[in-house]
């Protein structure tokens, strides 16, 4: 009966996926949502997937964006997509120390997920970096800003993904184009779902 079906659905594990990225990978971000929704339909009898995607949240004017978005540490899987920029800095109250600069949203979300993983064993984290870097014309109006963003992203990746000897301590994947990204993401998230359900 429909009542039995509703009760069975209520017993399914509820899994939350957080999508993190700066604004330069809008195409991949849209693809990721398509992949998540497709997998949610495929897994409908096994698990209930909910997505944390800030564009779909009602973000009110009384405070900033990050303060209203659910933290990655409160989710089961965090998917991070990066390419050429780290994004916009958060307000100063997000700074890790009084004399330190506040992180960008992407830095905060990656660090929040990694710190929580060490303490509680979750969330799982999948990181995708698009290569090669963007082509920036020397005469472009935003050359300095885009170059600075790319250098900051590159340094963040070096500091976060590798130890002092260059050994990988945070696994991550690279991709070359949208088709490569979509295929990898679907394989990886499907594998993760098979493991946790």
């Amino acid at each position: 009966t429909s009542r039995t079906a509703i009760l069975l659905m209520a017993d399914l594990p509820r899994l939350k996926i957080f999508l993190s990225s700066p604004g330069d990978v809008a195409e991949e971000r849209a693809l990721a949502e398509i992949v998540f929704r497709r997998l949610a339909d495929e897994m409908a009898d096994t698990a209930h997937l909910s997505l944390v995607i800030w564009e779909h949240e009602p973000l009110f004017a009384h405070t900033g964006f990050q303060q209203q978005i659910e933290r990655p540490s409160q989710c089961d899987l965090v998917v991070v997509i990066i390419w050429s920029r780290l994004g916009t800095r958060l307000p100063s109250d997000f700074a890790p120390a009084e004399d330190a600069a506040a992180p960008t949203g992407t830095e905060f979300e990656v660090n929040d997920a990694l710190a929580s993983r060490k303490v509680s064993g979750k969330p799982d984290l999948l990181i995708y970096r698009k290569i090669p870097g963007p082509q920036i014309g020397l005469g472009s109006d935003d050359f300095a800003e885009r170059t600075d963003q790319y250098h900051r992203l590159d340094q963040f990746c070096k500091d976060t993904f590798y130890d002092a000897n260059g050994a990988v301590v945070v696994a991550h994947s690279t991709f070359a184009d949208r088709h490569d990204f979509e295929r990898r993401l679907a394989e990886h998230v499907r594998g993760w779902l098979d493991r946790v359900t």
Side-chain angles (χ1 to χ4, degrees):
T1 67
S2 59
R3 177 174 164 74
T4 304
I6 291 169
L7 289 172
L8 287 172
M9 288 289 286
D11 290 339
L12 294 178
R14 302 182 72 81
L15 300 169
K16 204 174 292 185
I17 301 177
F18 187 103
L19 181 58
S20 171
S21 72
D24 60 334
V25 287
E27 182 180 22
E28 289 82 4
R29 192 174 173 88
L31 274 175
E33 183 175 353
I34 291 168
V35 168
F36 297 153
R37 295 202 183 281
R38 187 169 66 227
L39 290 173
D41 288 342
E42 283 180 24
M43 301 292 293
D45 295 334
T46 310
H48 175 76
L49 298 188
S50 61
L51 308 178
V52 179
I53 300 176
W54 72 264
E55 299 99 306
H56 303 320
E57 302 297 323
L59 299 172
F60 301 103
H62 66 273
T63 188
F65 292 97
Q66 199 74 48
Q67 294 92 329
Q68 300 181 66
I69 302 167
E70 192 161 8
R71 289 175 72 133
S73 53
Q74 298 168 323
C75 299
D76 300 286
L77 176 67
V78 175
V79 173
V80 179
I81 315 165
I82 48 178
W83 178 33
S84 67
R85 57 187 296 119
L86 270 176
T88 307
R89 287 206 182 275
L90 297 176
S92 58
D93 54 340
F94 281 89
E98 199 170 305
D99 57 345
T104 66
T106 303
E107 290 173 289
F108 172 78
E109 288 164 359
V110 170
N111 289 330
D112 182 66
L114 289 172
S116 175
R117 176 75 193 189
K118 284 181 181 174
V119 173
S120 68
K122 62 181 277 193
D124 288 311
L125 180 62
L126 292 170
I127 300 175
Y128 300 89
R129 186 176 185 184
K130 186 176 182 178
I131 55 168
Q135 300 298 309
I136 307 170
L138 287 172
S140 62
D141 292 339
D142 59 351
F143 175 81
E145 191 268 338
R146 291 183 67 189
T147 302
D148 177 62
Q149 278 276 353
Y150 187 75
H151 287 153
R152 284 173 45 214
L153 170 67
D154 207 44
Q155 191 60 54
F156 173 74
C157 292
K158 287 175 183 170
D159 294 343
T160 306
F161 301 163
Y162 304 91
D163 68 13
N165 298 315
V168 176
V169 292
V170 172
H172 54 284
S173 299
T174 57
F175 67 95
D177 56 43
R178 56 174 289 163
H179 303 293
D180 187 23
F181 170 71
E182 185 175 8
R183 178 184 58 78
R184 285 171 183 261
L185 181 66
E187 286 176 359
H188 296 166
V189 177
R190 187 177 282 111
W192 173 77
L193 287 167
D194 287 344
R195 183 166 59 81
V196 299
T197 55

